[in-house]
Amino acid sequence: MKFVTLDDGSRDGRLHIASRDGQRVVPADGARTLLAALETWDDHLATWQAQYDRLNDGDAGAAPFALETALAPLPRAWQWLDGSAFETHALLLQKAWGQPQVGLSERPLMYQGMSDRFLPPQSVARFPSAADGIDFEGEFGVILRDVPMGTPASLAARAIRLIVLINDWSLRALGPVEMATGFGWLQCKPACSMAPFAVTPDELGAAWHDARVCLPLRIDVNGQPFGRANGGEMKFGFHELIAHAAYSRDLPAGTILGSGTVANASYEDVGSSCIAERQAIELIAHGASRSPFLNSGDRVEMRASTADGVELFGPIDQSVEISAST
């Protein structure tokens, strides 16, 4: 199934079911918001499946979908937990920065980020200053049901209700300053953006394998190809990331958990999913970085499609604006 949240003037929007091709929508019966749906999932699943089936059969009562009306599928979440599960990304940055090339340890990396707002897929992304090193990070994420503390990785995949596409915006110049304090990230991690459609794992077919999204993440910057890295190369699958996060706490329904920047060992062929990684590759190859961070007016697009051309999540299509006022 595909879910989309449309703007109705409220902070959390109105939940709709979307057709498989993303062209038609109907209000979801039984739950006004995605958070309410996640908290009552089993009570309404059969109803939503019937709505979805009718949509795909050409339900005459459906409305056309317009991207500009979409909010993030879950505009506000209880928690946003972002991992770093792609070892190639870590190795490249470690080499470029002159650090020991150890990749990722056997313990997943994860931080807790801003969860009270996820930007709509076509909104302007506003930042205080281009001097902060504005960067995008393309990644996949999962939205969870309730997960009890201590849930093992062997059971954790069952907690995944929906899969999403995320742009985890970063302000790179502020990251080292904040990490040096020992208190972690705050200013360098503004609100993330999310593609319009949240999909159930079965929509991916064979591309959902071992709790990984085995699809290329297509990223274009100012209309030019930037990256096509595949999400299947995670060192830790989402089930392992969930178990890590749930070690010492319950995770409430509506928790969003990210993969970290998608990266592949074949980066010379498929490119990268953030500017910082491309700069690292340039530094290693040429002794200097050539690719600038983003500035006002730059445009970032992200998509992911199945092998038969179905665009699963819809597009993230945003432009950057420098503005201290949001």
Side-chain angles (χ1 to χ4, degrees), residues 53 56 64 79 91 103 171 182 199 205 228 238 261:
D53 292 341
N56 293 324
Q79 290 191 94
L91 286 168
L171 302 179
V199 306
R228 303 291 188 267
F238 279 111
T261 307

Coordinates of all heavy atoms in Angstrom, one line a residue, residues 53 56 64 79 91 103 171 182 199 205 228 238 261:
D53 N -7.0 -1.5 -3.2 CA -7.4 -2.3 -4.3 C -8.4 -1.6 -5.3 O -8.2 -1.7 -6.5 CB -8.0 -3.6 -3.8 CG -7.0 -4.5 -3.1 OD1 -5.8 -4.3 -3.3 OD2 -7.4 -5.4 -2.4
N56 N -6.5 1.0 -7.4 CA -5.7 0.4 -8.5 C -6.6 -0.2 -9.6 O -6.2 -0.4 -10.7 CB -4.8 -0.7 -7.9 CG -3.7 -0.1 -7.1 OD1 -3.2 1.0 -7.3 ND2 -3.3 -0.8 -6.0
P64 N -7.4 13.3 -8.2 CA -6.0 13.3 -8.7 C -5.0 13.8 -7.6 O -5.4 14.7 -6.8 CB -6.1 14.2 -9.9 CG -7.2 15.1 -9.6 CD -8.2 14.3 -8.8
Q79 N 10.0 10.2 17.4 CA 11.5 10.1 17.4 C 12.0 10.0 15.9 O 11.3 9.4 15.1 CB 12.0 8.9 18.1 CG 11.8 8.9 19.6 CD 12.5 7.7 20.2 OE1 13.7 7.9 20.7 NE2 11.9 6.6 20.3
L91 N 34.5 4.9 5.1 CA 35.9 4.7 4.7 C 36.4 5.9 3.9 O 37.5 6.3 4.0 CB 36.0 3.4 3.9 CG 35.9 2.1 4.6 CD1 35.7 0.9 3.7 CD2 37.2 1.9 5.5
G103 N 36.5 1.9 8.8 CA 35.1 1.7 8.3 C 34.2 1.9 9.5 O 34.3 2.9 10.3
L171 N 24.4 20.9 7.8 CA 25.2 22.1 7.7 C 26.6 21.7 8.1 O 27.0 21.6 9.3 CB 24.6 23.2 8.6 CG 23.2 23.6 8.3 CD1 22.7 24.6 9.2 CD2 23.1 24.0 6.8
G182 N 31.6 17.7 22.7 CA 31.2 16.5 23.4 C 29.7 16.3 23.6 O 29.3 15.3 24.1
V199 N 5.4 3.7 1.9 CA 4.9 2.4 1.3 C 5.2 1.3 2.2 O 6.2 1.2 2.9 CB 5.6 2.2 -0.1 CG1 5.4 3.4 -1.0 CG2 7.1 1.9 0.0
G205 N 8.7 -5.5 -3.5 CA 8.9 -6.8 -4.1 C 10.3 -7.4 -3.7 O 10.7 -7.3 -2.5
R228 N 23.6 7.7 -8.0 CA 22.7 6.6 -8.2 C 23.0 5.4 -7.4 O 22.9 4.3 -7.7 CB 22.7 6.2 -9.7 CG 22.4 7.3 -10.7 CD 21.0 7.7 -10.7 NE 20.6 8.7 -11.8 CZ 20.7 10.0 -11.6 NH1 21.1 10.5 -10.5 NH2 20.3 10.8 -12.7
F238 N 18.1 -2.7 8.5 CA 17.2 -2.0 9.3 C 16.8 -2.8 10.6 O 16.6 -2.2 11.7 CB 16.0 -1.6 8.6 CG 16.1 -0.3 7.7 CD1 16.1 -0.4 6.4 CD2 16.3 0.9 8.3 CE1 16.3 0.7 5.6 CE2 16.5 2.0 7.6 CZ 16.5 1.9 6.2
T261 N 23.6 8.1 5.0 CA 23.8 8.4 3.6 C 24.1 7.1 2.7 O 25.0 6.4 3.1 CB 25.0 9.3 3.5 OG1 24.8 10.5 4.3 CG2 25.2 9.8 2.0

